[in-house]
Amino acid sequence: MSEIKRLQLKIRELLKKRNAILLAHNYQRPEVQDVADLCGDSLELSMKASKTDADVIIFCGVRFMAETASILCPDKKVILPVRDAGCAMADMINAKQLREKKKEFSSAVVVSYVNTTAEVKAESDLCCTSANVLKVVDSIDPSKTIFMTPDRNLARYAKEYSKRENIFWWNGYCPVHDNLTLEQVQKVKAQHPDALFIAHPECRIEVLRVADAIKSTSGMIKYAKEVDHKKFIIATEIGILHPLKKACPDKEFIPADSGMICRDMKKTGLKEIVNALERLEPEVKVPDEIRKRAISAVERMLAL
Ligand code: 13P
Ligand code: SF4
């Protein structure tokens, strides 16, 4: 039996013993995705966390995702197997900076991307993910100004595709997606003129403008499955190629740039999950005072 298989069997055994559920983001290593109870995008994973009857949630992703699960399920133990698996974009704004900004935009509705710390969510009116950002923006009274944080690219996308003028934003970005240039995309498109181009909304607006579809990570999988086309260029973190190939074994997926790798998403391996299940740590627990202020933004989003 291979070492991977042995560790996967051990993980399944420990999950049962702990009455635990293993959630994995679509960017996780293939062997981690393959052992998970559910793989998905941020929205799907939050929804699953909010509904589970497991006692323990093993969150294979990055810290803000585990924090969101802790906000939604205060009675459960939420474990992030690698303590320092973070998100560079989420760390681009803190609560103090957002409070300062809110003085400038005092009557604005503050929409924070789920890729934020719990304390930033606690300063926000509404949360959104890449899957529902347009729906969230559309749910807001058109006469209201919107301030979005932290992703300038997601905000530009929301502004252009919702056709709302009154959207402003924090100048944050995801280094993995923001590095992808239009020139690079045009080069790959020229090499594969028969491919459809799917981009994540964290990409720059000039990249999004040449996309055939703009989707969350799970939205990409659904789209590739549904559309009657065989070849796709994919603009997001390359971990997504694994679930795409699994869902559509007869289709071809070409990364827009094979250097689109999120180091933090790759920190979690099978050994770290075994350790986490044996010790039930590192735990992520959002303090009650922050949780109480953050939950309404997350619940308002989930209710949409
Ligand atoms: P999704 O919610 O689309 O999976 O995106 C999460 C993320 O971190 C993208 O970089
Ligand atoms: Fe954060 Fe970007 Fe990594 Fe997603 S890909 S977790 S936004 S740094």
Side-chain angles (χ1 to χ4, degrees):
M1 191 190 301
S2 73
E3 179 64 357
I4 289 182
K5 192 79 209 144
R6 191 187 68 76
L7 289 168
Q8 286 173 330
L9 286 173
K10 173 118 186 133
I11 288 168
R12 292 308 319 168
E13 192 185 296
L14 286 166
L15 286 165
K16 206 166 164 190
K17 184 168 146 200
R18 296 292 198 187
N19 188 27
I21 186 170
L22 198 159
L23 305 180
H25 187 263
N26 290 322
Y27 295 159
Q28 289 288 294
R29 292 166 183 261
E31 66 273 22
V32 171
Q33 295 193 34
D34 291 346
V35 77
D37 291 291
L38 180 89
C39 298
D41 64 14
S42 311
L43 182 62
E44 288 171 332
L45 296 177
S46 306
M47 285 167 73
K48 183 72 181 177
S50 72
K51 289 184 189 136
T52 184
D53 54 9
D55 298 322
V56 178
I57 299 172
I58 306 290
F59 217 119
C60 298
V62 291
R63 180 160 288 270
F64 76 82
M65 296 177 175
E67 281 188 354
T68 308
S70 169
I71 291 168
L72 288 165
C73 322
D75 303 333
K76 310 220 180 276
K77 220 179 207 342
V78 180
I79 308 287
L80 182 68
V82 176
R83 198 183 295 277
D84 71 344
C87 166
M89 170 157 65
D91 293 338
M92 285 183 187
I93 186 164
N94 61 34
K96 187 164 174 275
Q97 289 170 309
L98 182 53
R99 277 196 294 273
E100 280 305 306
K101 206 69 194 170
K102 278 162 70 174
K103 289 181 191 159
E104 207 181 302
F105 289 92
S106 56
S107 58
V109 175
V110 176
V111 176
S112 51
Y113 192 22
V114 70
N115 299 41
T116 43
T117 60
E119 58 163 31
V120 165
K121 289 188 180 73
E123 297 292 334
S124 311
D125 298 301
L126 253 167
C127 197
C128 74
T129 74
S130 57
N132 62 17
V133 57
L134 296 179
K135 200 174 182 184
V136 167
V137 163
D138 281 346
S139 75
I140 298 167
D141 178 346
S143 68
K144 292 267 190 196
T145 294
I146 299 177
F147 185 79
M148 294 184 68
T149 186
D151 190 3
R152 64 185 183 208
N153 292 329
L154 188 83
R156 284 181 182 132
Y157 163 66
K159 181 170 176 169
E160 190 155 316
Y161 289 77
S162 70
K163 306 218 169 9
R164 274 179 81 129
E165 276 310 308
N166 49 0
I167 298 184
F168 300 85
W169 53 81
W170 186 258
N171 195 23
Y173 57 91
C174 163
V176 178
H177 290 81
D178 195 67
N179 262 344
L180 180 67
T181 61
L182 179 60
E183 292 68 36
Q184 168 67 17
V185 171
Q186 299 293 33
K187 196 174 102 193
V188 183
K189 270 169 149 287
Q191 285 162 354
H192 304 277
D194 51 340
L196 288 180
F197 175 51
I198 320 178
H200 193 276
E202 287 175 20
C203 294
R204 296 183 195 179
I205 193 75
E206 61 271 23
V207 167
L208 298 180
R209 285 184 187 134
V210 298
D212 296 295
I214 301 164
K215 300 283 177 190
S216 74
T217 56
S218 289
M220 290 181 176
I221 300 168
K222 193 164 178 278
Y223 178 80
K225 251 162 97 175
E226 283 171 6
V227 86
D228 185 21
H229 206 89
K230 286 275 180 234
K231 201 171 171 184
F232 303 85
I233 299 165
I234 305 293
T236 196
E237 210 273 349
I238 58 162
I240 191 68
L241 298 174
H242 179 66
L244 277 169
K245 283 179 196 153
K246 252 171 111 169
C248 314
D250 59 329
K251 300 193 179 188
E252 190 185 350
F253 301 98
I254 301 132
D257 180 346
S258 54
M260 291 179 79
I261 299 170
C262 176
R263 302 275 162 213
D264 287 86
M265 280 285 184
K266 303 295 184 248
K267 285 180 176 169
T268 310
L270 297 176
K271 285 190 183 142
E272 285 75 19
I273 302 173
V274 170
N275 283 341
L277 274 161
E278 278 172 345
R279 297 182 198 155
L280 286 189
E281 61 177 37
E283 187 177 1
V284 171
K285 182 116 190 106
V286 173
D288 236 29
E289 180 270 322
I290 295 175
R291 192 189 80 80
K292 283 185 184 139
R293 290 190 293 122
I295 193 153
S296 73
V298 181
E299 283 186 341
R300 270 182 76 185
M301 167 187 84
L302 293 178
L304 285 176

